[in-house]
Amino acid sequence: PVFVVIINRISGFEPLTRRALIGICVTFGGILLITFGTGNGFSAEGTILLGVFLLLLSEAAYGGYTVFVKPILAEYSLYQVIAMVVGITFVLFLLISIRSVLHFDFSAVSAGAWLSMSYSGIFGICVGNFLWNYGIRHIGSTNTSVYGNLPPVFGIAAGYLFLGEVLGGLQILGAAVVLL
């Protein structure tokens, strides 16, 4: 959301309301608590900082997409936009990985792996992109982008439930702030 606000301010596409600014600041504070909070306070180890840098880079790119797709959504249907995004992404990933794809033994992939990939493709990519673009079209890029702060909340919850990770008090507080 922070990158969406910055890009919107620079491009002049969407005004920033006081309510949206407060929401973004509060959820950003929650994300900081989740990211750096540990059981004993705050941590900023080297590997964490590299991960945060890569996350910020990807968020900046997705912020650009979130802002600049709105004019495209005004001209094309949601389905056309999603087909373009998925098609372009598929081609780019194929170009990057063409050697591996050509030499890969697809028969060695288990049925469970095929089901997982299908689930991710259908729900994570198609349905997720549809809902994201639907939100951009109907409530704007700034309001939609606030929902982008939910994955870390679900990530730490999944880590706790399925991987036995220990949550620190600051992480729990950060998740509560984001959900609030």
Side-chain angles (χ1 to χ4, degrees):
V2 173
F3 287 109
V4 169
V5 167
I6 292 168
I7 295 167
N8 267 325
R9 295 291 286 178
I10 292 169
S11 66
F13 278 143
E14 199 172 280
L16 179 63
T17 65
R18 178 184 214 117
R19 181 176 178 220
L21 180 61
I22 291 169
I24 289 167
C25 290
V26 168
T27 59
F28 185 70
I31 294 299
L32 290 176
L33 290 172
I34 290 171
T35 304
F36 295 111
T38 65
N40 301 324
F42 289 98
S43 174
E45 297 173 11
T47 56
I48 291 176
L49 291 179
L50 176 61
V52 169
F53 171 75
L54 292 173
L55 183 63
L56 286 174
L57 187 64
S58 67
E59 288 293 328
Y62 208 65
Y65 167 80
T66 300
V67 171
F68 294 114
V69 78
K70 188 169 184 179
I72 296 168
L73 286 167
E75 190 169 332
Y76 298 98
S77 76
L78 287 169
Y79 303 107
Q80 290 172 310
V81 172
I82 292 166
M84 285 188 292
V85 169
V86 171
I88 290 168
T89 304
F90 174 77
V91 169
L92 291 174
F93 275 108
L94 187 60
L95 289 173
I96 292 169
S97 62
I98 191 71
R99 278 189 176 161
S100 298
V101 170
L102 292 175
H103 296 90
F104 188 78
D105 180 14
F106 288 96
S107 64
V109 179
S110 70
W114 283 112
L115 285 172
S116 294
M117 183 182 64
S118 299
Y119 176 84
S120 295
I122 292 167
F123 292 102
I125 295 174
C126 292
V127 173
N129 272 299
F130 177 84
L131 293 173
W132 191 260
N133 288 323
Y134 182 86
I136 292 168
R137 176 182 270 177
H138 293 283
I139 64 173
S141 61
T142 303
N143 290 331
T144 300
S145 70
V146 174
Y147 290 97
N149 284 333
L150 289 176
V153 173
F154 289 108
I156 64 168
Y160 174 77
L161 293 173
F162 301 114
L163 302 176
E165 292 183 3
V166 178
L167 296 180
L170 292 175
Q171 291 174 313
I172 294 169
L173 176 63
V177 167
V178 170
L179 291 173
L180 175 68

PDB file of all heavy atoms in Angstrom, residues 91-112:
ATOM      1  N   VAL A  91       4.927 -16.486 -20.594  1.00  0.00           N
ATOM      2  CA  VAL A  91       5.975 -16.387 -21.617  1.00  0.00           C
ATOM      3  C   VAL A  91       7.307 -15.978 -20.985  1.00  0.00           C
ATOM      4  O   VAL A  91       8.363 -16.550 -21.298  1.00  0.00           O
ATOM      5  CB  VAL A  91       5.567 -15.402 -22.746  1.00  0.00           C
ATOM      6  CG1 VAL A  91       6.733 -15.088 -23.667  1.00  0.00           C
ATOM      7  CG2 VAL A  91       4.398 -15.979 -23.541  1.00  0.00           C
ATOM      8  N   LEU A  92       7.289 -14.996 -20.081  1.00  0.00           N
ATOM      9  CA  LEU A  92       8.528 -14.555 -19.431  1.00  0.00           C
ATOM     10  C   LEU A  92       9.166 -15.681 -18.610  1.00  0.00           C
ATOM     11  O   LEU A  92      10.378 -15.910 -18.692  1.00  0.00           O
ATOM     12  CB  LEU A  92       8.275 -13.331 -18.556  1.00  0.00           C
ATOM     13  CG  LEU A  92       7.939 -12.046 -19.310  1.00  0.00           C
ATOM     14  CD1 LEU A  92       7.568 -10.941 -18.335  1.00  0.00           C
ATOM     15  CD2 LEU A  92       9.090 -11.614 -20.196  1.00  0.00           C
ATOM     16  N   PHE A  93       8.359 -16.397 -17.835  1.00  0.00           N
ATOM     17  CA  PHE A  93       8.902 -17.503 -17.051  1.00  0.00           C
ATOM     18  C   PHE A  93       9.396 -18.627 -17.949  1.00  0.00           C
ATOM     19  O   PHE A  93      10.404 -19.272 -17.658  1.00  0.00           O
ATOM     20  CB  PHE A  93       7.877 -18.037 -16.050  1.00  0.00           C
ATOM     21  CG  PHE A  93       7.863 -17.281 -14.764  1.00  0.00           C
ATOM     22  CD1 PHE A  93       6.807 -16.441 -14.449  1.00  0.00           C
ATOM     23  CD2 PHE A  93       8.908 -17.401 -13.865  1.00  0.00           C
ATOM     24  CE1 PHE A  93       6.800 -15.735 -13.261  1.00  0.00           C
ATOM     25  CE2 PHE A  93       8.910 -16.695 -12.664  1.00  0.00           C
ATOM     26  CZ  PHE A  93       7.851 -15.859 -12.368  1.00  0.00           C
ATOM     27  N   LEU A  94       8.706 -18.874 -19.033  1.00  0.00           N
ATOM     28  CA  LEU A  94       9.149 -19.907 -19.970  1.00  0.00           C
ATOM     29  C   LEU A  94      10.489 -19.524 -20.590  1.00  0.00           C
ATOM     30  O   LEU A  94      11.383 -20.368 -20.721  1.00  0.00           O
ATOM     31  CB  LEU A  94       8.090 -20.128 -21.057  1.00  0.00           C
ATOM     32  CG  LEU A  94       8.349 -21.294 -22.016  1.00  0.00           C
ATOM     33  CD1 LEU A  94       8.414 -22.606 -21.242  1.00  0.00           C
ATOM     34  CD2 LEU A  94       7.258 -21.357 -23.068  1.00  0.00           C
ATOM     35  N   LEU A  95      10.652 -18.265 -20.965  1.00  0.00           N
ATOM     36  CA  LEU A  95      11.932 -17.827 -21.528  1.00  0.00           C
ATOM     37  C   LEU A  95      13.077 -17.990 -20.530  1.00  0.00           C
ATOM     38  O   LEU A  95      14.186 -18.381 -20.906  1.00  0.00           O
ATOM     39  CB  LEU A  95      11.841 -16.367 -21.981  1.00  0.00           C
ATOM     40  CG  LEU A  95      10.985 -16.101 -23.214  1.00  0.00           C
ATOM     41  CD1 LEU A  95      10.842 -14.593 -23.447  1.00  0.00           C
ATOM     42  CD2 LEU A  95      11.555 -16.788 -24.436  1.00  0.00           C
ATOM     43  N   ILE A  96      12.800 -17.698 -19.268  1.00  0.00           N
ATOM     44  CA  ILE A  96      13.829 -17.820 -18.237  1.00  0.00           C
ATOM     45  C   ILE A  96      14.194 -19.280 -17.993  1.00  0.00           C
ATOM     46  O   ILE A  96      15.349 -19.609 -17.737  1.00  0.00           O
ATOM     47  CB  ILE A  96      13.349 -17.155 -16.920  1.00  0.00           C
ATOM     48  CG1 ILE A  96      13.263 -15.645 -17.098  1.00  0.00           C
ATOM     49  CG2 ILE A  96      14.260 -17.508 -15.754  1.00  0.00           C
ATOM     50  CD1 ILE A  96      12.557 -14.936 -15.961  1.00  0.00           C
ATOM     51  N   SER A  97      13.205 -20.162 -18.084  1.00  0.00           N
ATOM     52  CA  SER A  97      13.431 -21.550 -17.684  1.00  0.00           C
ATOM     53  C   SER A  97      13.369 -22.554 -18.829  1.00  0.00           C
ATOM     54  O   SER A  97      13.257 -23.749 -18.588  1.00  0.00           O
ATOM     55  CB  SER A  97      12.400 -21.939 -16.630  1.00  0.00           C
ATOM     56  OG  SER A  97      11.098 -21.852 -17.176  1.00  0.00           O
ATOM     57  N   ILE A  98      13.470 -22.108 -20.058  1.00  0.00           N
ATOM     58  CA  ILE A  98      13.282 -22.998 -21.207  1.00  0.00           C
ATOM     59  C   ILE A  98      14.228 -24.198 -21.188  1.00  0.00           C
ATOM     60  O   ILE A  98      13.823 -25.316 -21.499  1.00  0.00           O
ATOM     61  CB  ILE A  98      13.373 -22.230 -22.557  1.00  0.00           C
ATOM     62  CG1 ILE A  98      12.912 -23.107 -23.710  1.00  0.00           C
ATOM     63  CG2 ILE A  98      14.775 -21.711 -22.791  1.00  0.00           C
ATOM     64  CD1 ILE A  98      11.440 -23.356 -23.719  1.00  0.00           C
ATOM     65  N   ARG A  99      15.480 -23.999 -20.796  1.00  0.00           N
ATOM     66  CA  ARG A  99      16.421 -25.131 -20.743  1.00  0.00           C
ATOM     67  C   ARG A  99      15.955 -26.197 -19.767  1.00  0.00           C
ATOM     68  O   ARG A  99      15.984 -27.387 -20.068  1.00  0.00           O
ATOM     69  CB  ARG A  99      17.799 -24.651 -20.322  1.00  0.00           C
ATOM     70  CG  ARG A  99      18.600 -24.071 -21.431  1.00  0.00           C
ATOM     71  CD  ARG A  99      20.008 -23.843 -20.926  1.00  0.00           C
ATOM     72  NE  ARG A  99      20.854 -23.361 -21.990  1.00  0.00           N
ATOM     73  CZ  ARG A  99      21.981 -22.763 -21.797  1.00  0.00           C
ATOM     74  NH1 ARG A  99      22.419 -22.560 -20.565  1.00  0.00           N
ATOM     75  NH2 ARG A  99      22.700 -22.350 -22.804  1.00  0.00           N
ATOM     76  N   SER A 100      15.553 -25.762 -18.596  1.00  0.00           N
ATOM     77  CA  SER A 100      15.092 -26.718 -17.583  1.00  0.00           C
ATOM     78  C   SER A 100      13.819 -27.418 -18.027  1.00  0.00           C
ATOM     79  O   SER A 100      13.654 -28.621 -17.806  1.00  0.00           O
ATOM     80  CB  SER A 100      14.838 -25.999 -16.257  1.00  0.00           C
ATOM     81  OG  SER A 100      16.023 -25.436 -15.773  1.00  0.00           O
ATOM     82  N   VAL A 101      12.924 -26.684 -18.655  1.00  0.00           N
ATOM     83  CA  VAL A 101      11.661 -27.273 -19.106  1.00  0.00           C
ATOM     84  C   VAL A 101      11.906 -28.338 -20.168  1.00  0.00           C
ATOM     85  O   VAL A 101      11.304 -29.411 -20.134  1.00  0.00           O
ATOM     86  CB  VAL A 101      10.706 -26.174 -19.635  1.00  0.00           C
ATOM     87  CG1 VAL A 101       9.495 -26.774 -20.324  1.00  0.00           C
ATOM     88  CG2 VAL A 101      10.281 -25.249 -18.506  1.00  0.00           C
ATOM     89  N   LEU A 102      12.814 -28.059 -21.084  1.00  0.00           N
ATOM     90  CA  LEU A 102      13.085 -29.014 -22.166  1.00  0.00           C
ATOM     91  C   LEU A 102      13.732 -30.304 -21.672  1.00  0.00           C
ATOM     92  O   LEU A 102      13.575 -31.356 -22.289  1.00  0.00           O
ATOM     93  CB  LEU A 102      13.966 -28.368 -23.233  1.00  0.00           C
ATOM     94  CG  LEU A 102      13.303 -27.251 -24.037  1.00  0.00           C
ATOM     95  CD1 LEU A 102      14.306 -26.603 -24.983  1.00  0.00           C
ATOM     96  CD2 LEU A 102      12.098 -27.780 -24.812  1.00  0.00           C
ATOM     97  N   HIS A 103      14.445 -30.240 -20.570  1.00  0.00           N
ATOM     98  CA  HIS A 103      15.154 -31.411 -20.060  1.00  0.00           C
ATOM     99  C   HIS A 103      14.501 -32.015 -18.814  1.00  0.00           C
ATOM    100  O   HIS A 103      15.079 -32.870 -18.161  1.00  0.00           O
ATOM    101  CB  HIS A 103      16.617 -31.056 -19.755  1.00  0.00           C
ATOM    102  CG  HIS A 103      17.378 -30.672 -20.968  1.00  0.00           C
ATOM    103  ND1 HIS A 103      17.455 -29.367 -21.409  1.00  0.00           N
ATOM    104  CD2 HIS A 103      18.070 -31.416 -21.869  1.00  0.00           C
ATOM    105  CE1 HIS A 103      18.171 -29.325 -22.518  1.00  0.00           C
ATOM    106  NE2 HIS A 103      18.556 -30.548 -22.814  1.00  0.00           N
ATOM    107  N   PHE A 104      13.300 -31.591 -18.507  1.00  0.00           N
ATOM    108  CA  PHE A 104      12.635 -32.054 -17.291  1.00  0.00           C
ATOM    109  C   PHE A 104      11.806 -33.292 -17.581  1.00  0.00           C
ATOM    110  O   PHE A 104      11.137 -33.380 -18.607  1.00  0.00           O
ATOM    111  CB  PHE A 104      11.750 -30.941 -16.725  1.00  0.00           C
ATOM    112  CG  PHE A 104      11.190 -31.257 -15.375  1.00  0.00           C
ATOM    113  CD1 PHE A 104      11.976 -31.146 -14.246  1.00  0.00           C
ATOM    114  CD2 PHE A 104       9.875 -31.678 -15.239  1.00  0.00           C
ATOM    115  CE1 PHE A 104      11.475 -31.451 -12.997  1.00  0.00           C
ATOM    116  CE2 PHE A 104       9.359 -31.964 -13.994  1.00  0.00           C
ATOM    117  CZ  PHE A 104      10.158 -31.858 -12.866  1.00  0.00           C
ATOM    118  N   ASP A 105      11.820 -34.241 -16.668  1.00  0.00           N
ATOM    119  CA  ASP A 105      11.023 -35.464 -16.796  1.00  0.00           C
ATOM    120  C   ASP A 105       9.682 -35.258 -16.094  1.00  0.00           C
ATOM    121  O   ASP A 105       9.560 -35.459 -14.888  1.00  0.00           O
ATOM    122  CB  ASP A 105      11.785 -36.648 -16.187  1.00  0.00           C
ATOM    123  CG  ASP A 105      11.013 -37.951 -16.299  1.00  0.00           C
ATOM    124  OD1 ASP A 105      10.023 -38.010 -17.074  1.00  0.00           O
ATOM    125  OD2 ASP A 105      11.387 -38.900 -15.597  1.00  0.00           O
ATOM    126  N   PHE A 106       8.691 -34.843 -16.847  1.00  0.00           N
ATOM    127  CA  PHE A 106       7.382 -34.548 -16.267  1.00  0.00           C
ATOM    128  C   PHE A 106       6.676 -35.791 -15.742  1.00  0.00           C
ATOM    129  O   PHE A 106       5.812 -35.701 -14.880  1.00  0.00           O
ATOM    130  CB  PHE A 106       6.491 -33.829 -17.286  1.00  0.00           C
ATOM    131  CG  PHE A 106       6.914 -32.412 -17.542  1.00  0.00           C
ATOM    132  CD1 PHE A 106       7.726 -32.096 -18.618  1.00  0.00           C
ATOM    133  CD2 PHE A 106       6.515 -31.407 -16.689  1.00  0.00           C
ATOM    134  CE1 PHE A 106       8.129 -30.792 -18.846  1.00  0.00           C
ATOM    135  CE2 PHE A 106       6.915 -30.100 -16.903  1.00  0.00           C
ATOM    136  CZ  PHE A 106       7.725 -29.792 -17.985  1.00  0.00           C
ATOM    137  N   SER A 107       7.057 -36.975 -16.245  1.00  0.00           N
ATOM    138  CA  SER A 107       6.430 -38.207 -15.756  1.00  0.00           C
ATOM    139  C   SER A 107       6.851 -38.525 -14.323  1.00  0.00           C
ATOM    140  O   SER A 107       6.190 -39.304 -13.644  1.00  0.00           O
ATOM    141  CB  SER A 107       6.778 -39.381 -16.679  1.00  0.00           C
ATOM    142  OG  SER A 107       8.170 -39.639 -16.643  1.00  0.00           O
ATOM    143  N   ALA A 108       7.927 -37.911 -13.857  1.00  0.00           N
ATOM    144  CA  ALA A 108       8.402 -38.155 -12.489  1.00  0.00           C
ATOM    145  C   ALA A 108       7.651 -37.314 -11.456  1.00  0.00           C
ATOM    146  O   ALA A 108       7.836 -37.500 -10.256  1.00  0.00           O
ATOM    147  CB  ALA A 108       9.898 -37.856 -12.399  1.00  0.00           C
ATOM    148  N   VAL A 109       6.804 -36.423 -11.902  1.00  0.00           N
ATOM    149  CA  VAL A 109       6.059 -35.558 -10.990  1.00  0.00           C
ATOM    150  C   VAL A 109       4.854 -36.328 -10.448  1.00  0.00           C
ATOM    151  O   VAL A 109       4.092 -36.921 -11.208  1.00  0.00           O
ATOM    152  CB  VAL A 109       5.597 -34.262 -11.700  1.00  0.00           C
ATOM    153  CG1 VAL A 109       4.797 -33.380 -10.767  1.00  0.00           C
ATOM    154  CG2 VAL A 109       6.792 -33.520 -12.265  1.00  0.00           C
ATOM    155  N   SER A 110       4.706 -36.323  -9.140  1.00  0.00           N
ATOM    156  CA  SER A 110       3.621 -37.082  -8.509  1.00  0.00           C
ATOM    157  C   SER A 110       2.265 -36.432  -8.776  1.00  0.00           C
ATOM    158  O   SER A 110       2.169 -35.253  -9.103  1.00  0.00           O
ATOM    159  CB  SER A 110       3.861 -37.172  -7.003  1.00  0.00           C
ATOM    160  OG  SER A 110       3.679 -35.896  -6.412  1.00  0.00           O
ATOM    161  N   ALA A 111       1.224 -37.225  -8.576  1.00  0.00           N
ATOM    162  CA  ALA A 111      -0.139 -36.718  -8.743  1.00  0.00           C
ATOM    163  C   ALA A 111      -0.403 -35.588  -7.746  1.00  0.00           C
ATOM    164  O   ALA A 111      -1.070 -34.600  -8.073  1.00  0.00           O
ATOM    165  CB  ALA A 111      -1.150 -37.842  -8.568  1.00  0.00           C
ATOM    166  N   GLY A 112       0.109 -35.733  -6.531  1.00  0.00           N
ATOM    167  CA  GLY A 112      -0.067 -34.684  -5.525  1.00  0.00           C
ATOM    168  C   GLY A 112       0.569 -33.372  -5.951  1.00  0.00           C
ATOM    169  O   GLY A 112       0.013 -32.299  -5.711  1.00  0.00           O
TER     170      GLY A 112
END
